[in-house]
Amino acid sequence: MKNKIFKKSIATLILLFATAGFAQNQNVITLQLDSFYAKIKAEQKPQIIDARSPEEFAINHINEALNFNLETYNYLGYAAKLDKSKPVFIYSIGTGRSNLLAKELLKNGFSDVHDLEGGIAAWIGGGKPFYSNSKSKLSLAEYKKVIVDNNTVLVDIGSRYCGACKKVKPVLETIRTQYGEHVKIVEIDLEDNPQVIADLKTVKVFPTLILYQNSKIVFKKDGSADLKKDVDLALAH
């Protein structure tokens, strides 16, 4: 009798763990660019949502994307127009707003929801097609000339709507004050220079920091952690 109870308990535990694992997998909705793009291309009429603000959306966005997020007026009305039986592809500037929206859709009957890791930075930085209402102020040829014409160049690639990007600016000012003309600092924003970001095909997240010396990359950072320290170490050699 005890043996039967023991076996039944083990079976119950296995079922609970399996169910928990399934629930956890249901929440894993973030995809890297190549997988996200491949799934979109597999759809005849993909449901793509830009979860950024209308202002950001007006400047640039993935082709054929709709624009709304959890703070949008009549959010439920926008969501109701989506087909729950088909995949939904969501992105923002990173994964903040898009991840919140994706989780909300999962709670409300959508079963196939995908969030883009790196957001619009990864999409445009990966050279995928996009809409922009303006041409880049800086061309790839001009970018390369700046790298060649200066011994040391620190490039900051981001967006004026990116919270993490704003934290880089004081660090750049400190570097500019300390090193002066010995370090050429180039700031490239998505809103002004989308095409050069696309042409570089190296940006996966905002901010991206690249340090060049003698036209060669010394380091490339996804994010600004320890930026001042890394610049100091590179220039000390």
Side-chain angles (χ1 to χ4, degrees):
M1 184 70 178
K2 289 182 178 179
N3 191 40
K4 288 183 179 180
I5 294 174
F6 176 75
K7 288 182 178 179
K8 187 176 180 180
S9 298
I10 293 297
T12 302
L13 285 172
I14 292 173
L15 179 61
L16 286 172
F17 280 123
T19 305
F22 177 76
Q24 185 177 11
N25 287 336
Q26 287 293 87
N27 291 326
V28 179
I29 55 178
T30 303
L31 294 177
Q32 293 185 348
L33 176 62
D34 289 342
S35 297
F36 190 85
Y37 183 67
K39 286 182 176 291
I40 284 179
K41 295 298 289 182
E43 296 293 316
Q44 187 173 4
K45 292 183 178 180
Q47 300 183 118
I48 307 172
I49 304 172
D50 185 316
R52 299 178 297 163
S53 69
E55 183 179 6
E56 293 169 81
F57 180 81
I59 297 171
N60 52 64
H61 56 259
I62 295 176
N63 295 333
E64 301 179 6
L66 302 174
N67 177 222
F68 70 92
N69 56 48
L70 294 179
E71 296 181 355
T72 300
Y73 175 74
N74 193 27
Y75 150 74
L76 291 176
Y78 281 98
K81 295 179 182 179
L82 299 174
D83 188 341
K84 291 184 178 182
S85 68
K86 295 181 179 180
V88 178
F89 305 93
I90 310 178
Y91 69 94
S92 54
I93 200 161
T95 54
R97 289 167 288 182
S98 56
N99 194 262
L100 291 174
L101 177 57
K103 288 179 178 178
E104 189 65 24
L105 291 179
L106 283 173
K107 291 178 184 177
N108 288 279
F110 290 83
S111 59
D112 196 5
V113 184
H114 307 287
D115 185 18
L116 174 59
E117 181 176 336
I120 194 68
W123 183 274
I124 294 181
K128 303 306 182 187
F130 65 96
Y131 163 84
S132 175
N133 68 0
S134 62
K135 293 183 178 180
S136 287
K137 295 179 179 179
L138 181 71
S139 69
L140 183 60
E142 291 168 334
Y143 175 92
K144 290 180 177 179
K145 188 175 188 304
V146 172
I147 304 304
V148 171
D149 289 348
N150 295 272
N151 291 330
T152 304
V153 183
L154 178 60
V155 181
D156 166 35
I157 303 175
S159 164
R160 68 175 71 116
Y161 297 98
C162 165
C165 300
K166 294 176 182 178
K167 295 179 181 179
V168 177
K169 303 308 179 184
V171 182
L172 294 179
E173 286 306 313
T174 299
I175 293 171
R176 185 179 280 114
T177 299
Q178 179 176 342
Y179 292 102
E181 62 182 15
H182 296 294
V183 178
K184 174 71 173 179
I185 296 178
V186 178
E187 298 176 68
I188 299 177
D189 285 340
L190 174 67
E191 294 71 35
D192 296 326
N193 292 292
Q195 192 56 53
V196 72
I197 294 175
D199 291 340
L200 284 171
K201 291 184 173 63
T202 189
V203 176
K204 296 180 180 179
V205 67
F206 289 150
T208 291
L209 287 305
I210 309 173
L211 181 69
Y212 294 87
Q213 283 188 306
N214 300 317
S215 301
K216 294 182 180 180
I217 294 179
V218 176
F219 67 71
K220 174 179 173 290
K221 297 171 60 67
D222 295 339
S224 60
D226 297 323
L227 174 61
K228 178 64 165 58
K229 178 182 176 181
D230 290 341
V231 170
D232 290 341
L233 286 172
L235 299 184
H237 292 84

